Amino acid sequence: MAGLIFRRLSISAIILLVVSILVFVATLLLPGDPAQAILGQQATPERLAALREQMNLNDPFAQRYLHWLGGLFVGDFGVSTASGGSVGALLGDRIAASLVLMVAAAAISIPVGILVGTYSALRRGRAGDHAATGISLVLAALPDFVIGIVLVTLFSTTVFTVLPSVTLAPPGEQVWDYPSQLILPVLTLVLVVMPYIIRMMRTTMIEVLDSGYVEMARLKGVPERQVIWRHALPHAIAPVAQVIAIQLAWLAGGIVVVEFLFRYPGVGQALVDAVTNRDVQVVQALAMLIAAVYVVVNLLADIVGILTNPKLRTGGTR
Amino acid sequence: MAIGVGALLTACSSTAATPLPALTGPPQPGGTLRVGLVGGGAADTLDAHIPVSTTDIARVVSLYEALLYRDENFDLKPLLALSATPSADAKTWTVKLRQGVLFHDGRTMTSRDVAATFARIVDPENPKSGAASLTVLDEVAVLEDYLLEFRLNTPTATFDDSLGQYALGIVPADYDPQNPVGTGPFKYKSFTAGRRSLFTRNNKYWRDAEPYLDELRILNFSDDNALINALLATQVDAIGQVPLALLEVLKTDPRVNILNSETGMWLPFTMRVDRAPFDDVRVRQAFRLVVDREQMVEQVLSGHGTVGNDMYALYDPGYAENLPQRVQNIERAKELLAEAGYPDGLDVELVTAPIQSGAVEAAQVFAQQALAAGINVNIRRVDTTTFFGDDYLQWDFAQDFWYTRNFLPQANNGSLPNSPYNETHWQNPRFQQLVEQAKSTINPTERNALITEAQTIEYNEGGYIIWGHPNQADAYQRYVGGLVSNSTGLPLSGLEFRRVWLGGQS
Amino acid sequence: MTQINTHTETSTTVVETPPGLLRRIIRQRQAKIGLVLTGLVVIVAVFGPLVLPWLTGYTSTEFVGRPFQPDGLFGTDNLGRDILSRFLDGGLTLLVFAALATGLGMLLGTTAGMLAAYQGGWLDSVIMRGNDVLLALPQIVFALLAITVLGPQGWVVVLVIGITHAPRIARVTRAAASAVITEDFIRASEMYAVPRWKILVKDVLPNITGPLMVELGLRMTYSIAAIASLSFLGLGMQPPTADWGLMINENRIALTLQPWGVILPVLAIAILTVGSNLITDAVARASATVEESK
């Protein structure tokens, strides 16, 4: 088993290495000159030349790649070409802000999803189950920005004007100081992520409830409540953990659209800005960060899978 | 669920608002003004001499002051200078400074600071934004503590215009942008690029009573939607550059005032006169004739703008007002195209980018209008970085955006062979001769006559399609006082927050 | 789908997809609702452009009034064009591009998946590790970079979405095909020296249509969502094209003033994706029961 885990680890490392080459090459192909992008209409040949030199834009590709890769290992993501500050410092706030969103979304959608899925499984075929599966089927189909816009029209602009539709942290304060601004983005993410958890939970719970193991517990006269909480639920959680992992990994990339919609100052918006500004170092750092989250979360899910269940399951979609 | 939304929409749309009485009485001191502006990003700066985005300009105007400035009527007025007068040959300009002006750190501003400022701007190693218009400047000579001479290599009768740029703020001789000290009405307190700037009142400001505010916060927004929402949610007190199509949103809200200023800004289409098909003057004329300018102003600017006549420098005293307003004439355009060898019309690519609100929209309206004359416009939208990238100034048919300027500075910037932004590659010997002559003509009447003649050439043959001049629309809460309409094209009264005050402070 | 199979694969031994599959799908209430919803939107998208001029009186690029005014049934958009006309004209590109992207993804994914399953060995490893790399490169980052490098053109969008679908489809195909290639009839074909590609196309492919159809529906739903999302971000369709995603991007700014420019396309996209998801779900259930009954 340790060997299997080690194999997984090394595969993940190789994947990240290949991704880093792809990302680096792709960012070099970006059209336009980053120096020109920074100076805009104010660019003069002298200022351009000086800035290019300062940004090492004249070194050969391979040298720049190795230099960059070396930096990644020691946590040095380079210098943001747009602001002149270090990428790490620039992104610190953004990463924290995005994490707040993701953690809040996960903290709500995981327990609620598990509860609703369990409830649905217990009431199999009844009205409550139909409602839960129907709604989750509909939500699972909707693109994230559609859910977001519907929420904005409902709660912010058109029907009720109770919640802010954009995020705005006044000077010196952080996004989480204004919880009301977090409601809609978090709710959007919850509604995007939860349906998958509900559906997976329902399916596995039904399997577990039908298993001989639960039957046995019931026959032994264990109270139904205890059967569900002590025996069935823990067994259903393991496969659901995989779906949860996939959803979390998806969040890392999918958060871009939601942040764009709500003007939330997280990594997603930073990424869109950086691509527009040709802030190559920031694009590289963010692409690697999102890829790393994906790989690590999947790795963890795999390891959990290996540890808890010898019969490896393949993940869901997304 | 979604269908329910549609049904509820019409029934429940309302904005909860309590109308406040309009401000009356004298300005009240105190309070914090929160200003929202779109633009800027990680590249934001506090440096006095390299402002790029609107938020940069807002910071620069608040922290620093130039020798002269353009007031709300686009008149050149003294700021840190008391006067700027040319010699008879227009090669030497004598500038008398205002006395008793203090920098934020308490030191007195003198001629030496002014000379050092200009040395910093035109530094050949690292020239700043203003350097382009100062190429005629040879030397800044300190005569006395408050008296200087600007010695030029070329006679320039309108050099004072160059001195009135906001990017020429006077800074101390030992200026370091890390310690952004100027003479402006507000002092630096904190700053996060792309997010916010926090400035406090300059208690030693040279004007009496102003500024009225205790504190000024400039907040960056990345899109108009967020900006307007923030105003409606009272997260900000004033917002600049509202997209003209959205003024209706704000008009319905009784808590909000709108500042709708006519300006001399222009959002032209640029045809390269040295490349086919635009090297044929008849094609350029045809393209100008296919534009329905009224419709352009209606669709692109929602009617909030003035119709253009293919000439810039709307407020220049020499502006060629005698020329007839050009109107759409499809028949004539077709004739011209046929004469130029395109009897069946032609295909062109128009490069556009969201360089300014309305730019991509104008391209679409133009494409639609040009169809009538058999011109098939293929719109290629790029992002602003690509637009201002390697091919900037090289596009055959593209767009650009310019703030209000007078004729000579504008021609210097974009219509001469050695102009930094000659995007139409316009090169007309007679035009050049007229501009050169006007530059050294001190007598305003004679100068204006030369300008009119030069403009007539561009009106007949030039590579710009100037279909209109957008208004500058800003919005602010009713309790904000002191904002007036301003024709420079800069938002919110030319970003002069010194004159702004808040009602209900006492 | 089943019909096509019977027509083209008469020469070789084929374990036919049970003819009951289509009927099993249709019999479900979900599928019926899904078909009605999807059909509704498809009809609007396909016939909208045809009936446009006489239905609304305007083309989708004609100017009706000032921007964001309540003229006409649903008002005007950000350039003063008729929102209903834009809406009727804006669905077809989305559908066509989504179909192309899905088709490309299916082609790449099934080919890679079947090859990996059938050949095994190093080819399998290479394909599957390539898959992992593509999966680790987040779709949105990939799209953002590709579109900025290559420009926001239709084929770039199709390519990007197709490529991001491929590894997921390849996984499913490989899993399904692995079960099939051990069957006796494949061995038989091999013994008759039937070319490898023929075995894959004629023997393996027809026997994995169940999971592939589920995948097709799923990928179609995601393609629609992804293309609309890119347009919403301003990276997909470009003006002056009438397109639902782009309409949302263009008119979102005036949500409080003139919501129809956003609500109509949002509704259409929502109904379309929900419909196709319902169908996909029905297909999945139907093929699952088919599997069980085998």
Side-chain angles (χ1 to χ4, degrees):
Chain A
M1 195 179 271
L4 199 55
I5 291 174
F6 179 76
R7 213 174 97 85
R8 286 275 168 189
L9 265 174
S10 42
I11 288 174
S12 301
I14 293 168
I15 288 173
L16 274 179
L17 198 68
V18 178
V19 168
S20 79
I21 296 174
L22 289 180
V23 166
F24 193 79
V25 170
T27 46
L28 287 185
L29 290 176
L30 285 175
D33 178 350
Q36 178 89 48
I38 293 167
L39 297 173
Q41 220 183 351
Q42 313 290 333
T44 59
E46 296 84 0
R47 289 183 64 190
L48 276 177
L51 197 60
R52 280 203 193 106
E53 190 58 38
Q54 185 194 328
M55 287 161 56
N56 295 327
L57 289 181
N58 301 326
D59 291 347
F61 285 178
Q63 189 181 332
R64 284 163 67 192
Y65 171 72
L66 290 175
H67 182 79
W68 171 70
L69 191 68
L72 288 187
F73 280 106
V74 293
D76 170 17
F77 297 98
V79 173
S80 157
T81 50
S83 66
S86 95
V87 173
L90 185 79
L91 292 181
D93 272 359
R94 300 302 195 103
I95 293 170
S98 285
L99 274 179
V100 167
L101 221 52
M102 288 171 66
V103 168
I108 295 169
S109 56
I110 294 172
V112 175
I114 288 174
L115 283 180
V116 174
T118 311
Y119 168 85
S120 200
L122 292 174
R123 312 222 126 213
R124 207 178 335 166
R126 288 198 242 167
D129 175 35
H130 282 309
T133 42
I135 290 173
S136 61
L137 194 64
V138 167
L139 285 175
L142 293 177
D144 36 14
F145 75 94
V146 166
I147 294 178
I149 289 178
V150 168
L151 289 178
V152 167
T153 30
L154 271 181
F155 297 111
S156 179
T157 59
T158 317
V159 183
F160 308 105
T161 51
V162 286
L163 289 170
S165 65
V166 295
T167 326
L168 179 76
E173 291 168 77
Q174 299 297 337
V175 278
W176 50 86
D177 294 335
Y178 291 81
S180 70
Q181 299 181 349
L182 294 176
I183 294 176
L184 287 184
V186 168
L187 191 57
T188 306
L189 289 178
V190 166
L191 292 182
V192 171
V193 168
M194 203 163 60
Y196 295 91
I197 301 176
I198 293 178
R199 297 183 73 181
M200 191 66 193
M201 190 66 208
R202 179 179 178 273
T203 314
T204 45
M205 196 65 183
I206 286 175
E207 273 176 31
V208 172
L209 286 176
D210 288 349
S211 67
Y213 165 77
V214 168
E215 195 68 12
M216 186 70 85
R218 283 195 181 130
L219 287 176
K220 275 188 188 163
V222 180
E224 185 66 14
R225 185 174 284 268
Q226 207 178 329
V227 169
I228 293 162
W229 288 106
R230 289 273 171 79
H231 300 268
L233 203 58
H235 277 81
I237 290 285
V240 172
Q242 295 243 340
V243 170
I244 290 173
I246 288 163
Q247 290 303 310
L248 286 181
W250 174 83
L251 266 183
I255 206 166
V256 173
V257 174
V258 175
E259 287 186 1
F260 178 83
L261 175 63
F262 289 100
R263 285 283 138 216
Y264 189 85
V267 289
Q269 219 194 81
L271 181 69
V272 175
D273 285 353
V275 170
T276 324
N277 290 332
R278 302 291 181 274
D279 199 341
V280 172
Q281 307 283 347
V282 175
V283 177
Q284 289 167 343
L286 285 175
M288 286 311 295
L289 184 75
I290 295 175
V293 169
Y294 183 90
V295 170
V296 169
V297 170
N298 271 307
L299 181 70
L300 288 179
D302 277 352
I303 291 175
V304 168
I306 291 167
L307 293 178
T308 57
N309 190 352
K311 193 180 109 198
L312 287 179
R313 286 165 189 270
T314 41
T317 51
R318 286 217 169 167
Chain B
M1 181 175 73
I3 293 163
V5 179
L8 282 168
L9 275 175
T10 34
C12 306
S13 65
S14 70
T15 38
T18 352
L20 289 167
L23 282 181
T24 49
Q28 299 169 21
T32 298
L33 180 75
R34 299 162 299 172
V35 178
L37 294 169
V38 167
D44 277 0
T45 179
L46 285 168
D47 192 309
H49 303 135
I50 49 171
V52 178
S53 65
T54 315
T55 54
D56 283 342
I57 300 171
R59 279 184 285 274
V60 162
V61 172
S62 300
L63 294 175
Y64 313 99
E65 290 171 306
L67 294 173
L68 306 166
Y69 81 113
R70 289 275 172 191
D71 75 355
E72 58 265 32
N73 304 314
F74 206 70
D75 290 333
L76 203 53
K77 290 283 172 65
L79 195 56
L80 289 186
L82 289 171
S83 66
T85 39
S87 62
D89 64 354
K91 281 189 79 171
T92 309
W93 280 75
T94 309
V95 170
K96 201 189 268 181
L97 290 184
R98 191 180 295 281
Q99 299 194 18
V101 176
L102 301 179
F103 284 115
H104 297 155
D105 56 9
R107 291 181 292 172
T108 309
M109 180 215 50
T110 70
S111 307
R112 274 167 295 281
D113 299 310
V114 176
T117 299
F118 280 87
R120 180 174 193 267
I121 292 165
V122 301
D123 179 4
E125 296 289 308
N126 184 6
K128 308 297 187 295
S129 315
S133 56
L134 294 176
T135 46
V136 293
L137 181 63
D138 259 359
E139 188 193 358
V140 181
V142 176
L143 301 184
E144 292 167 25
D145 276 357
Y146 299 99
L147 195 66
L148 299 113
E149 249 179 34
F150 285 77
R151 295 174 187 156
L152 314 181
N153 51 36
T154 321
T156 310
T158 54
F159 185 69
D160 52 349
D161 187 281
S162 302
L163 295 179
Q165 302 176 77
Y166 54 75
L168 301 183
I170 303 303
V171 293
D174 56 358
Y175 177 69
D176 175 1
Q178 298 302 319
N179 176 26
V181 168
T183 66
F186 295 95
K187 291 192 293 191
Y188 162 80
K189 187 170 172 192
S190 74
F191 166 67
T192 315
R195 298 288 295 277
R196 60 217 163 201
S197 318
L198 180 53
F199 298 159
T200 56
R201 185 175 196 273
N202 175 6
N203 292 321
K204 306 184 193 100
Y205 191 57
W206 55 272
R207 283 185 217 254
D208 294 333
E210 291 180 0
Y212 302 109
L213 300 167
D214 285 338
E215 200 176 74
L216 173 67
R217 292 179 186 185
I218 299 165
L219 304 169
N220 288 58
F221 283 78
S222 36
D223 81 349
D224 297 318
N225 196 21
L227 186 71
I228 289 170
N229 279 314
L231 183 80
L232 293 179
T234 330
Q235 288 170 319
V236 293
D237 305 310
I239 59 176
Q241 286 178 329
V242 180
L244 298 165
L246 295 185
L247 281 184
E248 307 287 330
V249 183
L250 298 165
K251 270 183 187 158
T252 54
D253 196 315
R255 300 167 303 169
V256 169
N257 275 352
I258 287 175
L259 197 61
N260 199 341
S261 315
E262 286 193 2
T263 74
M265 298 187 288
W266 44 302
L267 193 57
F269 296 103
T270 59
M271 304 178 280
R272 259 186 79 170
V273 303
D274 59 341
R275 297 259 296 179
F278 303 111
D279 53 348
D280 189 323
V281 67
R282 289 167 298 193
V283 174
R284 303 201 292 272
Q285 288 165 343
F287 271 60
R288 285 167 157 193
L289 284 172
V290 301
V291 184
D292 179 345
R293 289 146 205 265
E294 301 282 351
Q295 190 179 51
M296 273 283 190
V297 172
E298 283 291 305
Q299 309 308 141
V300 179
L301 309 175
S302 293
H304 302 291
T306 42
V307 166
N309 201 18
D310 295 325
M311 288 179 294
Y312 46 78
L314 200 55
Y315 299 131
D316 195 289
Y319 181 78
E321 274 168 297
N322 54 328
L323 296 173
Q325 173 62 49
R326 190 162 277 147
V327 291
Q328 189 184 41
N329 187 341
I330 298 292
E331 283 315 305
R332 180 73 192 122
K334 280 183 172 169
E335 279 171 32
L336 284 164
L337 286 179
E339 284 168 30
Y342 303 100
D344 306 320
L346 72 163
D347 285 12
V348 291
E349 184 185 76
L350 171 58
V351 179
T352 184
I355 49 172
Q356 175 72 15
S357 136
V360 179
E361 288 78 3
Q364 295 180 63
V365 178
F366 179 79
Q368 182 71 10
Q369 293 179 347
L371 277 179
I375 301 169
N376 193 10
V377 180
N378 178 20
I379 294 177
R380 176 173 160 208
R381 185 170 99 163
V382 298
D383 63 27
T384 44
T385 307
T386 309
F387 187 87
F388 289 123
D390 293 339
D391 290 326
Y392 179 53
L393 308 176
Q394 306 300 326
W395 308 112
D396 287 353
F397 188 36
Q399 285 173 291
D400 208 343
F401 169 74
W402 292 94
Y403 280 115
T404 314
R405 274 190 187 79
N406 272 352
F407 179 79
L408 288 176
Q410 180 61 49
N412 251 340
N413 264 306
S415 296
L416 296 175
N418 58 352
S419 297
Y421 306 108
N422 189 352
E423 47 211 345
T424 63
H425 293 233
W426 174 243
Q427 199 160 4
N428 181 301
R430 177 65 188 150
F431 179 88
Q432 277 160 249
Q433 194 190 346
L434 287 165
V435 170
E436 289 311 319
Q437 213 179 326
K439 274 185 191 170
S440 54
T441 306
I442 294 181
N443 179 320
T445 322
E446 287 171 30
R447 187 168 66 228
N448 293 343
L450 293 166
I451 288 173
T452 308
E453 200 186 332
Q455 283 205 313
T456 310
I457 298 175
E458 266 203 326
Y459 174 80
N460 290 324
E461 300 169 32
Y464 282 123
I465 303 174
I466 301 172
W467 52 268
H469 304 278
N471 286 2
Q472 176 65 261
D474 312 309
Y476 56 96
Q477 312 281 358
R478 275 267 163 111
Y479 54 75
V480 178
L483 290 164
V484 293
S485 82
N486 181 301
S487 56
T488 59
L490 291 179
L492 290 166
S493 288
L495 298 165
E496 288 176 44
F497 298 116
R498 60 178 171 85
R499 41 204 304 179
V500 176
W501 53 280
L502 301 175
Q505 293 292 317
S506 73
Chain C
M1 189 124 203
T2 3
Q3 272 184 339
I4 296 168
N5 286 344
T6 40
H7 282 302
T8 50
E9 285 126 21
T10 38
S11 58
T12 43
T13 335
V14 167
V15 177
E16 190 55 67
T17 308
L21 180 60
L22 204 61
R23 215 178 313 138
R24 277 171 203 272
I25 296 170
I26 299 290
R27 211 184 291 147
Q28 297 182 51
R29 198 164 51 116
Q30 258 191 22
K32 289 191 193 111
I33 300 173
L35 279 174
V36 169
L37 292 181
T38 315
L40 212 67
V41 180
V42 171
I43 286 171
V44 168
V46 173
F47 295 102
L50 300 175
V51 299
L52 186 58
W54 64 261
L55 193 67
T56 62
Y58 300 109
T59 68
S60 62
T61 50
E62 203 174 333
F63 306 112
V64 179
R66 283 192 178 178
F68 302 130
Q69 296 297 306
D71 312 355
L73 197 52
F74 291 104
T76 62
D77 76 346
N78 68 325
L79 264 180
R81 296 166 297 202
D82 184 41
I83 284 178
L84 184 59
S85 305
R86 300 280 289 169
F87 173 71
L88 289 176
D89 205 13
L92 196 56
T93 40
L94 177 65
L95 283 186
V96 169
F97 279 46
L100 286 176
T102 312
L104 179 70
M106 290 299 287
L107 188 71
L108 293 176
T110 43
T111 312
M114 284 197 303
L115 274 178
Y118 187 72
Q119 293 296 95
W122 66 270
L123 189 64
D124 184 19
S125 305
V126 167
I127 290 176
M128 295 326 281
R129 291 297 84 79
N131 254 352
D132 289 342
V133 169
L134 277 180
L135 283 173
L137 201 64
Q139 183 178 11
I140 193 80
V141 178
F142 181 47
L144 210 58
L145 288 176
I147 289 168
T148 316
V149 171
L150 299 169
Q153 293 150 51
W155 65 268
V156 179
V157 172
V158 168
L159 199 69
V160 166
I161 307 285
I163 289 177
T164 47
H165 283 338
R168 294 167 173 85
I169 299 169
R171 271 193 179 177
V172 173
T173 311
R174 181 175 172 272
S178 300
V180 175
I181 53 168
T182 50
E183 303 269 350
D184 291 341
F185 64 92
I186 303 274
R187 297 274 156 74
S189 296
E190 278 171 348
M191 285 207 308
Y192 285 113
V194 177
R196 194 177 296 153
W197 66 270
K198 259 194 180 164
I199 295 179
L200 287 181
V201 173
K202 299 209 165 170
D203 295 336
V204 180
L205 191 59
N207 287 295
I208 55 173
T209 44
L212 282 189
M213 272 177 77
V214 176
E215 202 57 21
L216 180 75
L218 207 57
R219 292 307 143 198
M220 187 65 193
T221 312
Y222 288 155
S223 292
I224 295 165
I227 291 177
S229 297
L230 285 178
S231 292
F232 165 71
L233 289 175
L235 296 168
M237 303 306 143
Q238 294 300 304
T241 321
D243 171 82
W244 290 343
L246 185 63
M247 276 180 83
I248 300 172
N249 173 300
E250 289 175 336
N251 298 321
R252 181 167 76 103
I253 192 166
L255 201 56
T256 44
L257 184 66
Q258 180 43 274
W260 290 115
V262 174
I263 287 176
L264 284 186
V266 160
L267 274 183
I269 293 170
I271 293 173
L272 184 62
T273 48
V274 167
S276 71
N277 208 32
L278 285 175
I279 297 174
T280 309
D281 204 59
V283 173
R285 287 183 191 206
S287 59
T289 45
V290 168
E291 290 295 316
E292 277 168 24
S293 66
K294 248 201 264 188

